Amino acid sequence: SAKKKGKNRFELYNSHEHGRDEQDLVLENDLHKALECGELLLYYQPQLDLRTNQISGVEALVRWKHPERGLVSPVAFIPLAEETGLIIPMSEWVLEEACRQLKQLHLAYPKLKMSVNISAVHFLQNELVETIDRILQKTAVDPRYLELELTESTLMPNAPFAIEWLVQMKQRQIKIAIDDFGTGFSSLSYLHRFPIDTLKIDKSFIRHLSSYRGEASIVKAIIEMGRSLNVSVVAEGVETEKQYKFLKEQRCDYAQGYYISKPLLFDELQQFLREWNTE
Ligand code: C2E
Ligand code: MG
Ligand code: MG
Ligand code: MG
């Protein structure tokens, strides 16, 4: 079992097969402390506008700087945070921190967009709208440059609620992206009813672009669909020049992935933006 491997504790928390055992409780305690002690931090991954070749935005990605385990991936602790309700204060911190940093970035790059991931648990919580309003007010960020990323599996099972919620975001001029698009089997007949701004093609389709013809057709179809629905399309997980070229050829709007940049610390991001813009 993962537990026996001892050293590889990361894998233990990453696994969905394990129930809640004492290790989870240790992590849960740690997670409480992480919030109190400021052990969470945000990385920012640039998004490239394929038409203008400019960096148009960044996605905030949370990490946990654990005193013993080092940098812990969100994939490893978000499920537990969701299970324990800690996701709420954690996401509030993420949203506020991302907005604060966006405000800072706007001094030099006034059109830059900030994308923030929203967990299903947080989405279904009634206070989220108030929280968003409070944070926007507190940080004085222009809501047009904030984009919230939700997955199909968050939105689709709660369609009537979701549509109403999205309308509230629209009224505030906040942008909405559907993350990991293509993996949730959303009903396409439903999609046009959702007032969204962006589709993010899941990285699994991008990864196999050159090896399987099926993936290329799916990517083309999503780009085409974005065009007809009049929403932007972002390809995530772009790792190679070949993938980049294909997406550019297909007139995909934006690309995000290691080929452009890995997620960066705030200072690294500022450096990256400076260098990119002088090229
Ligand atoms: P996501 O929102 O789909 O984020 C994209 C993930 O792909 C990120 O993983 C990013 O580091 C990774 N990635 C970026 N470029 C590449 C690439 O070229 N190749 C590959 N293979 N991967 C790439 P990360 O940061 O580990 O985040 C994983 C997931 O955790 C995110 O998926 C998102 O669902 C969730 N997450 C991250 N931050 C937050 C947060 O602040 N709140 C919530 N609720 N969820 C978050
Ligand atoms: Mg995302
Ligand atoms: Mg994604
Ligand atoms: Mg994801």
Side-chain angles (χ1 to χ4, degrees):
S1 74
K3 204 176 210 164
K4 289 233 180 67
K5 285 184 204 154
K7 268 199 264 171
N8 199 356
R9 307 176 78 181
F10 191 89
E11 193 175 311
L12 178 67
Y13 304 121
N14 209 348
S15 168
H16 293 289
E17 294 148 28
H18 289 265
R20 303 202 43 180
D21 55 18
E22 71 277 15
Q23 292 288 344
D24 278 342
L25 290 177
V26 172
L27 190 75
E28 184 180 332
N29 269 331
D30 285 3
L31 206 51
H32 268 289
K33 275 190 249 142
L35 271 165
E36 285 163 18
C37 305
E39 289 169 11
L40 294 181
L41 78 166
L42 291 185
Y43 276 66
Y44 302 91
Q45 188 173 37
Q47 295 176 336
L48 178 66
D49 184 327
L50 290 170
R51 202 169 44 81
T52 63
N53 204 37
Q54 292 293 302
I55 300 300
S56 52
V58 297
E59 178 177 7
L61 295 160
V62 72
R63 305 280 180 269
W64 176 7
K65 202 171 179 178
H66 192 283
E68 288 130 44
R69 295 184 188 106
L71 218 51
V72 182
S73 152
V75 179
F77 65 86
I78 284 186
L80 187 70
E82 287 180 327
E83 223 178 285
T84 58
L86 281 170
I87 191 73
I88 307 287
M90 187 188 282
S91 315
E92 291 189 6
W93 178 84
V94 168
L95 200 56
E96 186 169 333
E97 177 75 2
C99 285
R100 224 182 290 125
Q101 301 295 52
L102 179 61
K103 189 72 188 172
Q104 173 93 20
L105 290 166
H106 273 176
L107 296 174
Y109 311 98
K111 294 259 143 95
L112 203 74
K113 235 171 45 187
M114 175 70 71
S115 301
V116 180
N117 293 284
I118 301 290
S119 138
V121 174
H122 205 191
F123 172 72
L124 292 170
Q125 209 227 11
N126 283 323
E127 287 90 80
L128 179 56
V129 177
E130 283 165 47
T131 301
I132 291 168
D133 284 342
R134 180 171 47 76
I135 291 172
L136 281 174
Q137 199 164 34
K138 187 171 172 187
T139 57
V141 149
D142 184 336
R144 287 175 299 171
Y145 300 102
L146 176 63
E147 180 165 79
L148 304 177
E149 296 192 0
L150 298 122
T151 62
E152 290 167 274
S153 51
T154 300
L155 294 172
M156 296 301 165
N158 310 294
F161 173 84
I163 291 169
E164 211 176 294
W165 194 89
L166 296 176
V167 168
Q168 286 184 276
M169 294 303 116
K170 182 130 266 180
Q171 287 164 348
R172 289 159 174 77
Q173 298 185 294
I174 296 169
K175 304 250 170 354
I176 300 291
I178 300 195
D179 204 355
D180 306 339
F181 187 75
T183 59
F185 304 102
S186 38
S187 155
L188 296 185
S189 60
Y190 251 72
L191 195 62
H192 76 277
R193 294 200 220 160
F194 287 74
I196 56 157
D197 302 279
T198 307
L199 292 176
K200 291 190 83 172
I201 307 174
D202 190 68
K203 54 180 174 293
S204 60
F205 300 113
I206 307 300
R207 187 180 311 134
H208 300 297
L209 256 186
S210 47
S211 28
Y212 305 105
R213 302 192 65 167
E215 260 69 14
S217 323
I218 291 170
V219 170
K220 282 187 199 174
I222 296 176
I223 294 170
E224 196 49 53
M225 193 165 68
R227 222 172 270 138
S228 65
L229 288 172
N230 200 21
V231 302
S232 303
V233 177
V234 182
E236 64 173 25
V238 180
E239 293 184 356
T240 67
E241 184 177 14
K242 218 171 156 184
Q243 294 164 347
Y244 164 83
K245 282 192 167 150
F246 175 86
L247 293 161
K248 216 173 147 71
E249 254 167 43
Q250 298 301 319
R251 291 187 293 128
C252 182
D253 301 299
Y254 304 97
Q256 180 183 345
Y258 302 154
Y259 180 67
I260 295 127
S261 169
K262 65 184 203 306
L264 303 168
L265 285 167
F266 188 69
D267 290 347
E268 297 171 330
L269 172 69
Q270 285 188 306
Q271 181 66 27
F272 178 87
L273 290 172
R274 266 196 298 276
E275 283 166 13
W276 192 280
N277 282 11
T278 52
E279 259 169 24

